Amino acid sequence: MPKQRPTIADIARRAGVSKVAVSYALNDRPGVSPATRASIKAIAQEIGWRPNSAARALTRARADTVGLALSRPARMLGTEPFFMELISGIETELSASGRALLLQVVADPAEELEVYRRWWGEGRVDGVFLADVRSPDPRIEGVVELGLPAVVIGHPSAAGSLTPVWSDDSAALRDTLTYLSALGHRSVARVAGLPDLIHTRLRDRAQREISAELGLDEPVVVHTDYSGDEGAHATRRLITSPARPTAVLYDNDIMAVAGLSVAQEMGLDVPGDLSLVAWDDSQLSRVVRPPLTALSRDIPAYGSHAARTLIARVTDGAAPGFEDAAARLVPRGSTAPPRTRPLAGAQGPSPTSGLRTRPADATQGGPGNGHGG
């Protein structure tokens, strides 16, 4: 019986490493230490491994696929319009050029980086998108070390040496707070997203600075996971405070719709007693009653611009960053001048008692989707 040809799996087993690490070493890619690379090559020579010519031809060809791994619950993707619209824009651009999107939901950013290592090592993708950028974010350095072409969907301050695609969240916040101030609001709270995301921190800082410029009260910012449940919980605590805000801005439309339901459940008139604004516009914002004032932008176009930038990065070796249009404020029935508000200093718990809050200036990071960029 003829002896079976040695494989990468045989080398990996003897070296005590993964097949991806063997692939990196044998193809002289970054991602393994010099000592591990030397050991793997010595084992390959010892057992008589030779590259398969057909497989080598395939590895030289492009995969015509790019990847996106998201570390958030899969159920959130089905209910949050932002990512569905972003992905639709990416897919539109990719399909027009004969490319595909490889999408995977993972448990955390560390697993996301491992997915990118595997995809790149197996030659399954030509490049990847990085969304929901954090501070610090090991994915940035990780994909740079791999030599993996990548585009950051987020602010340049968080992109390192990678190419960013972003929009100016501070401009959108300025328009919103100026509008609410002109209506007569002085206390504007925000139900925000995850506190470790760069774009959340940028919004926190911008809200504090712009509020001070406009002479508004120091904003109360409540951080959540973007879900309707947490949006409802945050709204309930805000509006039961004796010094409740007269307006609330939400970092996505799911939480804004949940907040509207809570306000109506508790007998508040929207917008007479409480004005509401949703960040990111969707059908959800328009079908509720009253329809929600929203920060609207062309999210599919945002995804298309990100895909176009990544394609250029893959094919040309470099691509400039791209600043997309800032979200524009679309006033609807959920905002109006405030009625007389509860007296500040009324008896009762502190306005922030029991809230999971952070000061709006607690950025600890540089200066945007609820979402990246």
Side-chain angles (χ1 to χ4, degrees), residues 19-173:
K19 290 190 288 184
V20 171
V22 173
S23 177
Y24 286 160
L26 296 178
N27 289 285
D28 291 317
R29 284 184 171 179
V32 295
S33 69
T36 300
R37 188 186 311 278
S39 174
I40 287 171
K41 287 187 173 183
I43 293 171
Q45 184 174 9
E46 177 186 340
I47 67 175
W49 177 86
R50 294 292 182 273
N52 181 287
S53 58
R56 173 164 284 187
L58 285 174
T59 60
R60 285 199 298 266
R62 287 201 176 102
D64 287 332
T65 299
V66 296
L68 173 61
L70 293 172
S71 54
R72 56 177 54 218
R75 61 181 174 80
M76 290 289 291
L77 294 182
T79 59
E80 193 173 25
F82 174 84
F83 271 111
M84 290 297 94
E85 293 185 26
L86 182 76
I87 290 169
S88 74
I90 291 173
E91 287 276 23
T92 297
E93 189 68 29
L94 293 177
S95 62
S97 62
R99 293 174 171 85
L101 176 67
L102 186 57
L103 176 66
Q104 185 167 335
V105 176
V106 298
D108 54 53
E111 185 179 346
E112 183 178 337
L113 182 55
E114 286 307 308
V115 167
Y116 288 151
R117 289 183 189 278
R118 186 177 74 251
W119 285 351
W120 185 236
E122 295 173 355
R124 299 178 67 186
V125 297
D126 301 319
V128 296
F129 300 101
L130 298 182
D132 284 346
V133 183
R134 292 163 167 80
S135 178
D137 197 323
R139 298 175 303 166
I140 303 293
E141 183 179 351
V143 299
V144 170
E145 289 178 352
L146 291 172
L148 171 59
V151 163
V152 171
I153 303 176
H155 197 272
S157 64
S161 62
L162 300 178
T163 304
V165 174
W166 79 102
S167 64
D168 186 358
D169 280 2
S170 63
L173 265 170

Side-chain angles (χ1 to χ4, degrees), residues 60 72 109 144 167 175 181 193 213 240 248 259 292 312 324 328 361:
R60 285 199 298 266
R72 56 177 54 218
V144 170
S167 64
D175 287 349
S181 176
E213 289 176 22
T240 55
V248 182
L292 292 170
D324 212 330
R328 61 185 180 86
D361 61 341

Side-chain angles (χ1 to χ4, degrees), residues 187-350:
S187 177
V188 182
R190 187 166 127 259
V191 178
L194 297 164
D196 60 337
L197 296 182
I198 287 293
H199 71 266
T200 302
R201 296 185 178 191
L202 293 178
R203 292 179 184 184
D204 290 353
R205 188 173 75 179
Q207 184 180 6
R208 178 181 180 275
E209 292 174 351
I210 296 166
S211 295
E213 289 176 22
L214 295 173
L216 305 181
D217 295 349
E218 179 79 12
V220 173
V221 178
V222 187
H223 294 109
T224 72
D225 65 359
Y226 291 117
S227 70
D229 286 345
E230 287 214 12
H233 175 74
T235 303
R236 191 170 288 109
R237 297 308 301 269
L238 283 170
I239 64 180
T240 55
S241 164
R244 72 166 186 259
T246 59
V248 182
L249 170 62
Y250 296 84
D251 270 13
N252 72 3
D253 44 1
I254 294 290
M255 294 194 297
V257 170
L260 173 62
S261 296
V262 167
Q264 293 172 338
E265 159 203 317
M266 300 186 71
L268 292 183
D269 175 68
V270 176
D273 297 321
L274 186 69
S275 286
L276 305 179
V277 180
W279 202 309
D280 290 332
D281 199 5
S282 71
Q283 288 294 331
L284 285 175
S285 302
R286 297 188 284 274
V287 300
V288 293
R289 290 293 177 269
L292 292 170
T293 294
L295 282 161
S296 181
R297 57 177 168 168
D298 190 341
I299 299 172
Y302 190 42
S304 178
H305 296 151
R308 197 175 304 152
T309 302
L310 183 54
I311 290 170
R313 175 70 182 81
V314 168
T315 57
D316 302 335
F322 184 88
E323 183 174 2
D324 212 330
R328 61 185 180 86
L329 185 67
V330 180
R332 297 195 182 101
S334 67
T335 47
R339 292 177 184 162
T340 303
R341 57 175 291 173
L343 293 175
Q347 295 299 313
S350 163

